[in-house]
């Protein structure tokens, strides 16, 4: 069974970057010759194109995904004394965005079926201080937005999408980014739409919010050297915006291949020890991560690594057990669903450029595990 020749990385941007290398070089020369690197034509065009891609009215580029979420919260006036509900299984940026406004992150359990926030567990977390809920479209799968809109509307809360893992995903025929009040995106190189460095964006249909986010990310300035807010420096530069425009034009093709690989995995993996990911009814995941679960996760990981297969865990420590948040006073057992996912989740290789043969090999290795 062991195929010494087959080496499959967990992820790779190589095939994408090979396809666009000439366009990237031409674009670099163009921007370089213009000598205009911040807040120019490339950013304006990217913002227009990405808003339209997300079927939304406005897009504001910023420095990274963490800032995108933080700027949304700040623009809504959320800060000290407020609470924001978010899932206990996410990347730490979702919680830090809340903390950096001065507000308190309130963790809620994920659903063990689709790994997004459990919509039945939100109402019990709402207090008089609650101002917003952040829904994370984890692993590329949209959260259950209809149920979330129902509960946030009932209590007059803002609903924010953390769409850092879900560029191009669909929820009941509609794109992520336009499903709630506002959405934060990351263009970290490893995301489905990644820059050649850091980058992020806020997407919204709310003009007032878009204008305020734009000012907040540019030193709180609405007009040169006039500062209406104490803002941040968080901008998407011309080079990254230009590169992102090239990659955005390919995103649907790249996401389609990710979905093909996910389907091949789902068709081929047959092992009673393994739980496969499930797509929500009427939704399309973009499979940022192909997350399986297994009680013998650590020995499965070793088994796959020994057979040349790269793997990862998303995420090994849930939010409430992170050392950085020990002051919040949580313990093991406080969020059993998040802990269950952290203890059993394993991420399989999935990237544009991965062949059917490679995918089948990974599936075969998983099927032979424990047999
Ligand atoms: C990557 C990521 C972020 C943060 O994005 P950065 O650009 O790295 O700041 C936020 N939330 C989630 C769910 C992410 O995966």
């Amino acid at each position: 069974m062991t195929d010494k020749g087959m080496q499959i990385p967990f992820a790779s941007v190589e095939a994408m970057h090979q396809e666009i290398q000439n366009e990237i070089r031409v674009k670099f020369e163009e921007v370089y010759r213009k000598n205009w690197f911040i807040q120019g034509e490339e950013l304006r065009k990217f913002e227009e194109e990405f808003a339209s891609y997300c079927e939304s009215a406005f897009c504001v580029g910023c420095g990274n995904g963490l800032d995108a979420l933080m700027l949304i919260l700040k623009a809504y006036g959320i800060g000290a004394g407020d609470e924001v509900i978010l899932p206990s299984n996410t990347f730490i940026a979702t919680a830090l965005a809340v903390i950096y406004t001065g507000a308190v992150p309130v963790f809620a359990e994920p659903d063990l079926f689709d790994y997004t926030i459990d919509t039945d567990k939100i109402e019990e977390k709402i207090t008089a201080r609650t101002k917003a809920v952040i829904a994370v479209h984890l692993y590329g799968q949209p959260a259950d937005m209809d149920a979330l809109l129902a509960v946030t509307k009932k209590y007059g809360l803002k609903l924010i999408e953390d769409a850092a893992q879900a560029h191009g995903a669909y929820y009941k025929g509609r794109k992520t980014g336009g499903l709630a009040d506002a959405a934060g995106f990351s263009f970290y190189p490893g995301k489905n739409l990644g820059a050649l460095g850091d980058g992020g964006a806020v997407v919204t249909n709310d003009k007032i919010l878009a204008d305020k986010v734009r000012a907040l990310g540019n030193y709180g300035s609405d007009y040169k050297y006039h500062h209406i807010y104490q803002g941040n420096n968080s901008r998407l530069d011309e080079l990254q915006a230009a590169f992102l425009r090239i990659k955005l034009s390919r995103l649907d093709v790249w996401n389609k291949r990710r979905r093909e690989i996910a389907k091949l995995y789902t068709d081929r993996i047959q092992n009673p020890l393994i739980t496969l990911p499930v797509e929500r009814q009427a939704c399309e995941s973009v499979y940022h991560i192909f997350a399986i679960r297994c009680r013998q996760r650590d020995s499965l990981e070793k088994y796959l690594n020994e057979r040349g297969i790269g793997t990862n865990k998303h995420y090994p420590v849930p939010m409430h057990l992170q050392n950085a948040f020990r002051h919040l006073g949580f313990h093991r057992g406080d969020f059993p669903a998040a802990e269950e996912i952290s203890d059993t989740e394993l991420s399989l290789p999935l990237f544009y450029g991965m062949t059917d043969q490679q995918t089948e090999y990974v599936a075969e290795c998983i099927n032979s595990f424990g047999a």
Side-chain angles (χ1 to χ4, degrees), residues 214-285:
R214 187 179 298 286
L216 279 173
N218 189 26
Y219 287 111
S221 169
D222 60 345
Y223 181 72
K224 206 170 169 119
Y225 302 132
H226 293 252
H227 304 270
I228 41 176
Y229 315 111
Q230 296 181 26
N232 293 72
N233 175 1
S234 186
R235 300 175 294 219
L236 183 62
D237 65 67
E238 286 291 284
L239 270 178
Q240 296 306 340
F243 297 154
L244 283 166
R245 291 183 66 206
I246 294 168
K247 291 178 112 180
L248 179 60
S249 71
R250 305 289 209 294
L251 181 58
D252 284 341
V253 174
W254 293 341
N255 275 343
K256 182 164 168 277
R257 178 61 189 155
R258 297 186 84 95
R259 288 181 52 77
E260 281 170 14
I261 296 165
K263 176 156 192 324
L264 194 50
Y265 270 147
T266 308
D267 290 347
R268 290 299 170 95
I269 296 173
Q270 267 178 354
N271 184 328
L273 300 174
I274 305 296
T275 305
L276 287 166
V278 183
E279 259 190 329
R280 186 190 304 291
Q281 188 88 36
C283 293
E284 264 185 37
S285 169

Side-chain angles (χ1 to χ4, degrees), residues 63-67 69 90-94 136-138 162-165 185-188 191 198-200 288 315:
N64 53 63
L66 167 65
D67 285 357
L69 294 169
T90 181
F91 178 62
I92 195 168
T94 322
V136 181
H137 304 317
L138 198 72
D162 180 342
Q165 301 188 357
F185 283 91
S186 163
F187 305 125
Y188 177 82
K191 307 290 179 171
D198 274 314
H288 176 61
Y315 295 90

